[in-house]
Amino acid sequence: MGEKKLNKNTAVCGAIFALYALLTLIGALNHELWYDEAQAWTIARDNTIGGIFHQLGYEGHPPLWYLILYVFAHTGFECTVIPIVSWVITASAAAVVMFKSPFHAAIKAALLFSGGFLFYNSVMSRVYCLINLMVVLTAWLYPKRKARPILFGILIALLANTHICISGFIGIMGIFMITDLLGGFRTNTAKQNAAEITGLAISGAGVLLMVIPLLNSLSLNASTAKVNYTFEFVVGAILDSFSNISMALIAYENKNLFLFFVSGIIAVLLVAEFILIRHKTRPFLILVFFTVFYIITSGIFWYTIPNRAHIFVLMFFVTAWIADCEPQNGAGKIWTKVSFKSDTKAIENIIGFIRKLDSNYMRCFNIILTAVLVVSVPAGARFLFGDCIGSFSPSEHAAEYIKENFPENTVFVTDDEVAPFMAAYLPDYRFYSEDFGNFYTYNGHKNLPDKRPYERTYNDLKDCENVYYMDVHVEIDFMPSNRKIIYIIREGMPFGVNIRYIEISEFDLDREIKSYIDNV
């Protein structure tokens, strides 16, 4: 009977996974690269390994995703492979969740069809797909970490090199590895101690590999360097963190009063999860460490976007998975020591209800988590569907137009933020930064010079046969009227930085550059 029930559960999980894999594969095959996706590809394609590590100081990201893309870019693949790479990685994570996690099929399905797994961190091909896979593998291996300490250390080292927002989880896992080693050092065999020390050393090396390239990121990156981190700014960012995460789960744009109300409920539910998980010490510490560092990195120094908001919720799933093998502490005993009497029956009933919920804390934790995941499904489904029937980004269609109408020796003059999402599709064309006076294919995230280098620009472009101006605008009314516009594409699904209108216009080098030099 038990075997029949197990087979039925496996069949249900298999069906859920197959549907998920099919939907996301369709999405990946139809996805056009957005700016940040293309930026990572051009950095990987147009650099040596050393060049990638140098650029990371300006990017503020660890190297793993760039090194993976480097392999594909330097073995002949085109940028269209990125969504497939992301899909394979997240589908692998989904398989681990469906067939290895100790949860009911309902919560597994809720995770797979949540916005993060359905679109934001699967079809949208960014570094977050690696976090999906690495954290579920870490949770799966966690109960067996003493038997596989080296493998566990490798996982932590890899995870450390995905994204800085996961650093709190890395830190607490490192602390657990140290306490496990010290706690069993006298009773372990020499071989076991050597294996645990090796695993700890590997994870430490991974952390160093992550930290060293990012040491000066706050001052090097043009965006973060401009922020004035006052006391009021920091406090405001901390207070807004949970509401920002909640809103990013359901609606990054087009916010209204109803969505603010829903996001407020989600924020309260997330706080309740912390209260419930306090019954298990290590899982509670995992959530606290992760959340503190998440708020520091993605709330204070940067900001929350849907990709990172879904990683935030994923960590609650991972925490519940780890909690499954952790002992209960005495946190619930406080209810037996507190006697609360009230003349109001309603208050007594409420207190009794809260006590009952707290006594079934893991079940309540999982129900709340499932609800939060389900609420995020519509946003992810909308983007997935919209991406399949329309254009998530106008980049691919604009690139096709350029290939058909402009020779390969064409140079497009741009400002410093335009090239990446076009250069990814157009490796045979050249892009020139009007701001910095150099040929480029990705945004360097450097501070703008005090003045544009007009003389260098003129000397670089004077012998080029075909020179045009390319710009991107959020609103059509912002397009300059002093140039003859040759091409405008108005497709795309807004997300984050609203890339909506790509303009290609005539560029008269003598009128726009030489005349300025002569007048000065």
Side-chain angles (χ1 to χ4, degrees):
M1 193 72 177
E3 185 177 342
K4 186 179 292 187
K5 185 177 180 180
L6 181 62
N7 290 337
K8 182 180 179 182
N9 185 61
T10 302
V12 169
C13 290
I16 293 171
F17 172 75
L19 177 61
Y20 166 81
L22 178 62
L23 290 175
T24 50
L25 177 59
I26 293 171
L29 293 173
N30 286 279
H31 183 64
E32 300 87 4
L33 298 186
W34 179 57
Y35 179 90
D36 283 0
E37 300 167 275
Q39 167 84 352
W41 176 260
T42 51
I43 289 173
R45 184 192 67 191
D46 300 330
N47 268 307
T48 62
I49 298 293
I52 291 174
F53 275 88
H54 174 74
Q55 180 59 27
L56 292 180
Y58 295 94
E59 294 295 305
H61 294 309
L64 184 57
W65 179 240
Y66 299 89
L67 296 178
I68 291 172
L69 295 184
Y70 176 89
V71 173
F72 285 94
H74 289 261
T75 51
F77 286 90
E78 296 182 353
C79 66
T80 49
V81 75
I82 312 178
I84 303 302
V85 173
S86 180
W87 175 80
V88 169
I89 292 171
T90 304
S92 300
V96 174
V97 167
M98 291 308 300
F99 301 111
K100 297 299 180 182
S101 66
F103 300 104
H104 190 278
I107 188 172
K108 297 178 183 181
L111 179 65
L112 263 61
F113 292 98
S114 66
F117 265 70
L118 192 61
F119 181 79
Y120 294 112
N121 296 330
S122 56
V123 173
M124 187 184 290
S125 42
R126 297 193 65 195
V127 63
Y128 306 101
C129 65
L130 292 173
I131 300 179
N132 286 342
L133 180 59
M134 298 300 174
V135 294
V136 299
L137 286 175
T138 301
W140 178 32
L141 190 61
Y142 181 83
K144 299 169 279 190
R145 65 193 184 284
K146 295 286 286 185
R148 300 283 187 274
I150 295 177
L151 180 58
F152 191 76
I154 291 172
L155 268 180
I156 298 301
L158 291 173
L159 186 56
N161 284 277
T162 55
H163 195 278
I164 196 71
C165 75
I166 205 73
S167 56
F169 181 75
I170 300 301
I172 193 62
M173 283 295 151
I175 291 173
F176 291 164
M177 292 172 74
I178 293 172
T179 56
D180 287 344
L181 174 64
L182 296 178
F185 194 82
R186 292 184 178 181
T187 56
N188 289 342
T189 64
K191 183 178 180 181
Q192 176 68 25
N193 285 333
E196 291 190 33
I197 291 171
T198 302
L200 184 61
I202 291 172
S203 64
V207 171
L208 287 176
L209 186 64
M210 176 265 286
V211 169
I212 291 174
L214 307 183
L215 286 175
N216 297 318
S217 286
L218 286 179
S219 59
L220 291 176
N221 185 282
S223 298
T224 55
K226 296 175 183 177
V227 178
N228 184 18
Y229 297 102
T230 62
F231 177 78
E232 291 79 6
F233 174 86
V234 172
V235 172
I238 294 171
L239 295 177
D240 289 342
S241 56
F242 271 58
S243 61
N244 290 338
I245 291 167
S246 303
M247 183 60 76
L249 291 173
I250 57 176
Y252 193 59
E253 297 178 345
N254 303 320
K255 302 168 185 176
N256 55 48
L257 186 61
F258 173 74
L259 291 176
F260 276 109
F261 175 74
V262 174
S263 69
I265 293 175
I266 294 173
V268 171
L269 291 176
L270 293 176
V271 172
E273 295 281 70
F274 282 87
I275 298 172
L276 290 169
I277 203 66
R278 79 189 192 286
H279 290 272
K280 297 203 172 185
T281 304
R282 282 195 170 190
F284 176 73
L285 290 175
I286 288 171
L287 270 190
V288 169
F289 267 68
F290 168 74
T291 300
V292 168
F293 281 86
Y294 178 93
I295 291 174
I296 292 172
T297 58
S298 298
I300 298 175
F301 293 136
W302 207 231
Y303 52 87
T304 288
I305 59 176
N307 311 72
R308 292 194 280 272
H310 282 281
I311 292 299
F312 187 85
V313 176
L314 173 61
M315 292 308 302
F316 284 77
F317 181 90
V318 169
T319 299
W321 192 343
I322 291 173
D324 188 62
C325 67
E326 282 291 331
Q328 179 176 319
N329 58 33
K333 293 180 180 179
I334 188 174
W335 290 112
T336 62
K337 299 178 181 179
V338 175
S339 177
F340 184 90
K341 291 184 179 182
S342 173
D343 295 333
T344 307
K345 190 69 174 177
I347 295 178
E348 290 184 1
N349 289 337
I350 291 172
I351 297 297
F353 178 70
I354 293 174
R355 285 176 172 174
K356 186 177 180 180
L357 292 180
D358 196 54
S359 65
N360 295 285
Y361 61 93
M362 281 313 305
R363 185 180 180 187
C364 293
F365 186 97
N366 291 339
I367 290 173
I368 291 173
L369 176 58
T370 303
V372 172
L373 291 169
V374 169
V375 169
S376 77
V377 171
R382 179 173 68 88
F383 272 92
L384 178 66
F385 181 72
D387 200 0
C388 290
I389 65 172
S391 297
F392 181 76
S393 166
S395 54
E396 188 170 24
H397 291 293
E400 290 172 358
Y401 174 87
I402 289 171
K403 289 177 182 177
E404 293 172 0
N405 294 277
F406 295 86
E408 289 187 356
N409 64 349
T410 299
V411 176
F412 293 102
V413 178
T414 73
D415 66 33
D416 196 46
E417 297 184 353
V418 175
F421 75 105
M422 295 301 303
Y425 285 100
L426 300 169
D428 297 322
Y429 291 77
R430 294 198 294 171
F431 296 82
Y432 191 86
S433 171
E434 193 176 31
D435 297 317
F436 289 92
N438 62 284
F439 290 96
Y440 80 117
T441 57
Y442 55 84
N443 184 359
H445 291 300
K446 299 178 181 180
N447 292 309
L448 291 174
D450 295 333
K451 60 180 181 178
R452 288 180 171 175
Y454 287 98
E455 290 190 12
R456 185 163 70 233
T457 297
Y458 182 79
N459 291 330
D460 287 342
L461 300 180
K462 65 182 179 181
D463 296 324
C464 298
E465 296 181 20
N466 300 290
V467 182
Y468 295 89
Y469 189 82
M470 179 184 288
D471 205 357
V472 173
H473 304 275
V474 176
E475 300 292 342
I476 194 72
D477 295 337
F478 292 164
M479 290 189 175
S481 58
N482 61 337
R483 295 191 183 95
K484 181 180 179 182
I485 297 176
I486 299 171
Y487 171 74
I488 298 175
I489 183 169
R490 307 187 188 186
E491 301 179 28
M493 186 183 299
F495 177 86
V497 180
N498 297 318
I499 298 176
R500 298 304 302 276
Y501 305 103
I502 300 175
E503 163 215 334
I504 299 176
S505 56
E506 290 184 347
F507 187 84
D508 189 320
L509 187 65
D510 286 333
R511 187 181 75 234
E512 299 194 39
I513 303 297
K514 187 65 164 60
S515 61
Y516 180 87
I517 297 172
D518 292 341
N519 290 332
V520 172

